[in-house]
């Protein structure tokens, strides 16, 4: 069984995000970048399934600038066997990424496609669902547990009321939740081994995909700063302020 795992290069979650002075976007100059945490969970889950003998090959794929090679090397250090970079300098939106992944799925024919449920930069939570629709494959989103039983994929997924289990036929698309696993620490020997693993570079043009943005960002601003809290003497005053000032009741 072959698994395809999509990974994205994002601003490291420990970095305080800053908006550009001209409000055109987020400042990424001289900023530490890393693999999207949800995608790291996706790679870890694929590696665990390989360790159980369920998966035989893991292919990591990323779409974006040349520096995404670093993210793919990290994925291979965790345990991916090889990598594919769809290289482009165009700002990719979820639909474009889903179409690129669809083309890679057609090329690679994996039995399982695993993605993080969302990226921490745009928080779109769209790519996995769009990919499932484009490829006409069953999907299990927000997965907190994955089991392969009798050729079927049982996915425990997070829902508003708690959790539910869906049974999917393979091939299928999975998006990972935080509760699925805790990614392993990447060791130096594995980092060195990852440098020797094969990485293929493709372009959107070679895959026949138009990645031109469909949406235009008009302005990016920092959220308004919260005002200081106050103490109220009694419940009546609290209710009055909630009605007249906060206007929430």
């Amino acid at each position: 069984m072959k698994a395809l795992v999509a990974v994205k290069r994002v601003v490291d979650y420990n970095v305080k995000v800053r908006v550009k002075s001209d409000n055109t976007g987020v400042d990424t100059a001289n900023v530490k970048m890393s693999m999207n945490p949800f995608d790291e969970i996706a790679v870890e889950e694929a590696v665990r399934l390989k360790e159980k003998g369920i998966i035989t090959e893991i292919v990591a794929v990323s779409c974006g600038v040349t520096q995404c090679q670093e993210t793919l090397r990290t994925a291979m250090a965790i345990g991916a066997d090889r990598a594919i970079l769809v290289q482009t300098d165009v700002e990719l939106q979820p639909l474009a990424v889903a179409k690129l992944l669809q083309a890679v799925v057609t090329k690679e024919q994996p039995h399982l496609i695993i993605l993080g449920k969302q990226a921490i930069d745009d928080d779109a939570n769209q790519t996995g669902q769009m990919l499932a629709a484009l490829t006409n494959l069953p999907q299990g989103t927000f997965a907190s547990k994955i089991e392969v039983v009798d050729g079927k994929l049982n996915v425990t997924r997070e829902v508003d009321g708690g959790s539910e289990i869906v049974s999917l036929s393979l091939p299928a698309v999975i998006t990972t939740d935080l509760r699925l696993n805790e990614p392993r620490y990447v060791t130096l020997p594995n980092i060195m081994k990852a440098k020797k693993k094969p990485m293929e570079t493709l372009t959107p043009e070679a895959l026949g995909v138009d990645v031109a943005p469909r949406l235009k960002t008009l302005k990016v601003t920092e959220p308004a700063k919260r005002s200081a809290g106050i103490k109220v003497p009694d419940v009546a005053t609290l209710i009055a302020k909630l009605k007249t000032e906060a206007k929430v009741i």
Side-chain angles (χ1 to χ4, degrees):
M1 182 187 293
K2 181 193 293 187
L4 186 75
V5 185
V7 297
K8 184 178 183 181
R9 179 176 180 263
V10 299
V11 174
D12 189 89
Y13 68 93
N14 287 312
V15 173
K16 179 176 172 56
V17 175
R18 296 171 298 176
V19 175
K20 292 180 180 178
S21 57
D22 57 1
N23 296 115
T24 57
V26 172
D27 186 6
T28 57
N30 301 316
V31 171
K32 181 183 178 183
M33 308 292 283
S34 62
M35 185 189 301
N36 178 47
F38 290 101
D39 298 340
E40 197 172 358
I41 292 170
V43 178
E44 173 66 27
E45 189 64 22
V47 173
R48 293 189 184 190
L49 291 172
K50 185 180 179 182
E51 291 172 345
K52 293 177 182 177
I54 297 170
I55 288 175
T56 55
E57 184 184 24
I58 303 171
V59 183
V61 58
S62 187
C63 306
V65 295
T66 307
Q67 290 85 344
C68 290
Q69 291 181 7
E70 301 167 10
T71 308
L72 289 170
R73 292 293 177 195
T74 301
M76 289 190 285
I78 295 173
D81 299 292
R82 57 188 176 92
I84 298 173
L85 171 61
V86 183
Q87 187 174 324
T88 177
D89 292 328
V90 177
E91 181 183 349
L92 296 175
Q93 296 175 350
L95 180 58
V97 176
K99 288 181 177 179
L100 291 172
L101 293 176
Q102 178 195 17
V104 175
V105 167
T106 302
K107 176 178 179 291
E108 292 290 331
Q109 294 295 308
H111 300 86
L112 184 61
I113 303 105
I114 312 179
L115 310 87
K117 70 171 185 178
Q118 65 195 75
I120 62 172
D121 51 1
D122 57 14
D123 274 333
N125 180 23
Q126 295 175 339
T127 305
Q129 293 88 327
M130 288 177 170
L131 176 60
L134 290 170
T135 54
N136 196 29
L137 294 176
Q139 60 178 306
T141 56
F142 315 127
S144 59
K145 186 178 180 181
I146 297 174
E147 295 176 305
V148 179
V149 181
D150 298 329
K152 293 278 188 177
L153 200 64
N154 291 339
V155 179
T156 303
R157 58 185 303 269
E158 302 291 323
V159 294
D160 290 340
S163 63
E164 68 175 7
I165 299 175
V166 293
S167 182
L168 310 175
S169 57
L170 296 173
V173 176
I174 302 296
T175 69
T176 61
D177 202 353
L178 280 174
R179 296 168 185 81
L180 183 57
N181 62 53
E182 185 175 339
R184 67 194 65 193
Y185 179 76
V186 181
T187 62
L188 181 59
N190 287 336
I191 293 173
M192 300 307 293
K193 290 177 184 177
K195 293 181 179 180
K196 298 180 181 179
K197 292 183 179 180
M199 182 184 300
E200 181 182 2
T201 302
L202 303 172
T203 62
E205 293 75 20
L207 295 172
V209 178
D210 177 16
V211 295
R214 265 59 174 179
L215 302 174
K216 181 180 179 181
T217 302
L218 300 179
K219 189 178 182 181
V220 177
T221 59
E222 291 188 7
K225 292 184 178 180
R226 296 177 61 181
S227 56
I230 60 170
K231 291 183 178 181
V232 293
D234 50 45
V235 174
T237 307
L238 172 63
I239 294 174
K241 286 186 175 296
L242 290 175
K243 284 182 179 179
T244 58
E245 295 181 18
K247 297 181 179 179
V248 294
I249 59 174

